[in-house]
């Protein structure tokens, strides 16, 4: 069993980061590369903080990890120094722990019993332990291809190579199906490749996992837009089942603010994609923050990614705007009681580097120059409230005072509206819900026969851990559909939602 008093003897320690003046000068990951022995020794101490809590909410799919990661088990294995067994337990529930260990915001930590009270010293550093288990597994050679021993003779097409598509593909390949993943971009990975900046996850981490999938037998086709380059008729003729993992990449815009038509105002992905392509060696980005005053509208993960990218591109200034007030630094038990996801101020490593964040403000209008380019924005302090008549959210100025902020590059990072419009969906006869997502039955199958959906395309823009969980679950459904039975795990139901206060 775990050490029930470990959290009393040891403080929570985050992984060390590289100095800010060093990391803003390159695109490498922000965290320091430690000697493996030193790293493992430190992480074993952190794993010791995992106590014998009785009911481990950390791996509850409603409050903690939707993958059902066996967190107390591999924490105890790490505590005892059994890294190989820890890696086996971690990979038993998670195809790509190196992705989640770097990118997931860790709902498991929010649900950790040690999160109930600040007096505990904070939750177990689960994300750090997970990332280290994954790193150690790769370094020791414990991660190997797992090709199937038998073939079912059934062919499955997976459309989209993000985390949901890759998880579904790996599970189905290992079950013995002949799997081909189609990706419309020139490289594999979806948002892992072109949405996530290099400083959050270097793409060599993605590439080594793709190599494993290839060695297991999964085939990949890039530069192919299914529905156009491969027609639906040919798709159905060649494959027994189709998994749609096309993401939810339709960026939310605000066309109502005066001046939105000015040059220099873009959606976040129009900035992030070319920046990531530059890191892949494709040449200078089409949208560059160098020498510019950059304003980012939106306070979430995507906004932080634009923030760090602009800093590394050499922006003169970076300002991130959030229409909501400054969140509290600790959990408000009335608003978001444990073990729900807490409403607190989230500071990313990029916020330590340069620039500033401004809360409780909204853009009144964009100001342009004689050439039609944005040069400034007019800000007003606002509050967000519910309209008593309609119940809808509305943003209301709290005064007539206007502040002018210089802006040569403005990036909208205010979320995503759902699946992009594409011929594939039209030809399959599929329409999106009011949330812009693709619906499915309890078996993950859409209204189109033999066509399944998972990940952001089904859930809407969400977390990498939910994408992998849905990919694994959809794979189990496809396997059962094709063979009549399945041994594949199905960690989440299509209707599953995180625990929340309503």
């Amino acid at each position: 069993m775990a050490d029930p008093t470990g959290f009393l003897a040891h403080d929570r320690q985050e992984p060390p980061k590289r100095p800010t003046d060093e990391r803003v000068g390159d695109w490498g990951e922000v965290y320091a590369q430690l000697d493996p022995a030193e790293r493992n020794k430190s992480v074993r101490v952190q794993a010791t903080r995992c106590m014998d809590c009785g009911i481990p909410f950390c791996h509850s799919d409603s409050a903690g990890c939707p993958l059902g990661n066996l967190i107390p088990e591999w924490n105890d294995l790490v505590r005892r120094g059994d890294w190989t067994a820890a890696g086996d337990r971690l990979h038993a529930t998670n195809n790509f722990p190196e992705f989640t260990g770097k990118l997931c915001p860790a709902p498991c930590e929010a649900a950790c019993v040690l999160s109930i009270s600040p007096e505990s010293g904070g939750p177990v550093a689960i994300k750090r332990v997970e990332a280290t288990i994954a790193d150690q597994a790769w370094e020791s050679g414990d991660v190997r291809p797992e090709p199937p021993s038998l073939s079912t003779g059934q062919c499955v097409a997976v459309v989209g190579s993000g985390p949901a598509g890759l998880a579904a593909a790996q599970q189905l390949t290992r079950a013995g199906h002949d799997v081909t993943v189609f990706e419309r971009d020139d490289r594999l990975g979806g948002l892992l490749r072109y949405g996530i900046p290099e400083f959050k996850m270097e793409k060599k981490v993605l590439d080594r996992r793709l190599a494993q999938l290839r060695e297991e037998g999964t085939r990949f086709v890039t530069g192919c837009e299914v529905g156009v380059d491969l027609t639906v008729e040919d798709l159905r003729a060649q494959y027994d089942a189709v998994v749609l993992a096309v993401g939810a990449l339709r960026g939310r815009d605000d066309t109502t603010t005066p001046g939105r038509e000015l040059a220099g105002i873009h959606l976040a992905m129009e900035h992030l994609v070319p920046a990531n392509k530059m890191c892949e060696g494709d040449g200078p980005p089409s949208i560059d923050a160098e020498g510019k005053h950059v304003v980012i509208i939106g306070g979430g993960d995507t906004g932080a990614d634009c923030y760090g990218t602009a800093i590394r591109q050499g922006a003169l200034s970076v300002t991130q705007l959030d229409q909501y007030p400054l969140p509290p630094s600790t959990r408000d038990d009335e608003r978001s009681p444990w073990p729900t996801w807490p409403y607190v101020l989230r500071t990313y490593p990029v916020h330590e580097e340069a620039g500033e964040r401004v809360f409780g403000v909204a853009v009144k209008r964009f100001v342009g120059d004689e050439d039609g380019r944005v040069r400034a924005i007019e800000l007003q302090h606002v509050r967000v409230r519910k309209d008593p008549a309609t119940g809808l959210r509305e943003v209301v100025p709290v005064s007539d005072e206007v502040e002018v902020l210089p802006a040569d590059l403005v990036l909208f990072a205010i979320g995503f509206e759902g699946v992009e419009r594409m011929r594939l969906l039209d030809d399959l006869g599929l329409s999106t819900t009011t949330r812009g997502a693709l619906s499915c039955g309890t078996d993950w199958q859409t209204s189109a026969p033999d066509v399944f959906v998972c990940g952001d395309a089904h859930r809407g823009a969400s977390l990498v851990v939910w994408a992998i969980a849905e990919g694994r679950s959809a794979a189990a459904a496809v396997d059962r559909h094709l063979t009549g039975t399945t041994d594949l795990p199905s960690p989440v139901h299509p209707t599953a939602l995180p625990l929340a206060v309503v």
Side-chain angles (χ1 to χ4, degrees):
M1 300 297 291
D3 180 353
T5 62
F7 74 98
L8 296 172
H10 307 288
D11 295 330
R12 174 184 167 96
Q13 296 290 333
E14 298 287 354
K17 296 188 267 302
R18 299 161 60 204
T20 56
D21 58 347
E22 175 187 314
R23 67 185 194 239
V24 299
D26 60 39
W27 293 90
E29 289 188 14
V30 300
Y31 293 101
Q33 294 296 312
L34 302 178
D35 172 76
E38 176 189 354
R39 175 201 66 199
N40 292 358
K41 180 181 178 181
S42 175
V43 170
R44 286 183 64 182
V45 172
Q46 290 303 298
T48 301
R49 298 188 71 248
C50 183
M51 62 180 185
D52 182 14
C53 61
I55 300 177
F57 285 81
C58 57
H59 67 192
S60 160
D61 60 0
S62 62
C65 179
L67 279 167
N69 280 336
L70 303 169
I71 295 166
E73 293 186 29
W74 42 255
N75 270 334
D76 192 49
L77 289 166
V78 167
R79 178 181 72 88
R80 294 189 274 123
D82 193 343
W83 292 96
T84 297
D88 289 342
R89 298 309 288 150
L90 179 53
H91 279 94
T93 56
N94 188 349
N95 296 70
F96 316 123
E98 65 273 31
F99 300 168
T100 52
K102 293 177 183 295
L103 305 176
C104 183
C108 54
E109 293 189 8
C112 175
V113 170
L114 293 180
S115 288
I116 294 177
S117 169
E119 295 180 5
S120 70
V124 175
I126 298 170
K127 182 175 173 179
R128 183 181 180 188
V129 178
E130 178 182 34
T132 305
I133 295 172
D135 288 343
Q136 177 64 26
W138 281 103
E139 291 161 6
S140 62
D142 290 336
V143 180
R144 302 183 185 90
E146 299 178 26
S149 56
L150 296 172
S151 172
T152 65
Q154 304 275 5
C155 297
V156 181
V158 176
V159 185
S161 66
L166 293 178
Q170 185 166 61
Q171 294 293 95
L172 288 166
T173 296
R174 290 176 174 178
H177 302 294
D178 187 354
V179 180
T180 302
V181 178
F182 292 92
E183 172 57 59
R184 67 182 180 182
D185 285 331
D186 57 343
R187 295 182 180 92
L188 299 167
L191 281 182
L192 293 172
R193 174 77 63 184
Y194 286 144
I196 301 298
E198 189 84 353
F199 57 81
K200 285 180 69 174
M201 187 181 81
E202 295 177 0
K203 299 309 175 283
K204 64 184 180 183
V205 173
L206 170 61
D207 291 336
R208 70 185 179 187
R209 189 59 83 169
L210 289 169
Q212 182 200 33
L213 268 71
R214 286 191 176 96
E215 291 183 56
E216 291 174 346
T218 302
R219 287 191 290 273
F220 294 95
V221 179
T222 57
C224 178
E225 183 171 355
V226 180
V228 179
D229 304 305
L230 175 68
T231 66
V232 165
E233 290 77 13
D234 289 340
L235 182 72
R236 286 196 171 280
Q238 296 175 35
Y239 296 95
D240 300 294
V242 177
V243 178
L244 301 180
V246 295
L249 296 174
R250 182 151 50 92
R252 183 172 290 118
D253 202 347
D254 176 12
T255 58
T256 62
T257 302
R260 172 60 183 91
E261 75 285 353
L262 293 168
I265 304 175
H266 304 273
L267 300 184
M269 295 308 297
E270 296 172 351
H271 178 231
L272 293 174
V273 171
N276 278 299
K277 288 194 171 188
M278 180 203 69
C279 292
E280 296 278 1
D282 289 356
S286 54
I287 299 173
D288 197 335
E290 183 177 6
K292 295 176 181 175
H293 296 288
V294 180
V295 175
I296 300 159
I297 301 172
D301 283 16
T302 304
D305 292 344
C306 292
Y307 192 109
T309 298
I311 290 171
R312 283 155 180 78
Q313 289 179 334
L316 284 179
S317 68
V318 181
T319 307
Q320 187 173 11
L321 309 180
D322 194 327
Q323 63 189 6
Y324 292 97
L326 177 69
S329 57
T330 58
R331 184 195 293 266
D332 180 345
D333 287 332
E334 292 189 5
R335 180 166 186 169
S336 53
W338 178 87
T340 63
W341 183 245
Y343 175 68
V344 294
L345 176 65
R346 304 188 187 282
T347 299
Y348 300 85
V350 295
H351 294 132
E352 304 166 357
E353 297 169 353
E356 65 173 330
R357 290 188 282 179
V358 183
F359 294 89
V361 296
V363 179
K364 181 180 182 182
R365 73 181 183 106
F366 299 102
V367 180
D369 60 15
E370 62 276 6
D371 297 321
R373 293 195 59 84
V374 67
R375 283 293 174 261
I377 60 174
E378 293 182 355
L379 287 181
Q380 281 186 299
H381 287 275
V382 299
R383 63 185 177 96
V384 182
R385 70 178 188 186
K386 266 188 179 179
D387 186 315
T390 65
L392 299 176
R393 186 183 66 90
E394 61 178 1
V395 181
V396 182
V398 297
S399 74
D400 294 330
E401 183 180 352
V402 174
E403 178 184 349
V404 178
L405 192 68
D408 306 305
L409 175 61
V410 177
L411 302 170
F412 275 103
I414 54 176
F416 297 88
E417 293 186 333
V419 178
E420 293 179 302
R421 297 173 179 86
M422 56 185 73
R423 182 174 173 180
L424 169 63
L425 304 183
D426 294 337
D427 289 354
L428 286 171
L430 297 176
S431 58
T432 57
T433 67
T434 54
R435 298 185 300 108
L438 297 173
S439 59
C440 65
T442 57
D443 61 352
W444 297 91
Q445 191 168 189
T446 68
S447 58
D450 307 317
V451 178
F452 298 74
V453 65
C454 63
D456 286 1
H458 163 254
R459 174 167 293 274
S462 186
L463 308 180
V464 62
V465 68
W466 275 100
I468 297 172
E470 291 215 352
R472 287 170 66 88
S473 300
V478 172
D479 188 36
R480 183 181 293 108
H481 177 73
L482 294 176
T483 67
T485 186
T486 186
D487 292 325
L488 295 178
S490 182
V492 292
H493 189 271
T495 60
L497 293 171
L499 184 68
V501 176
V502 296

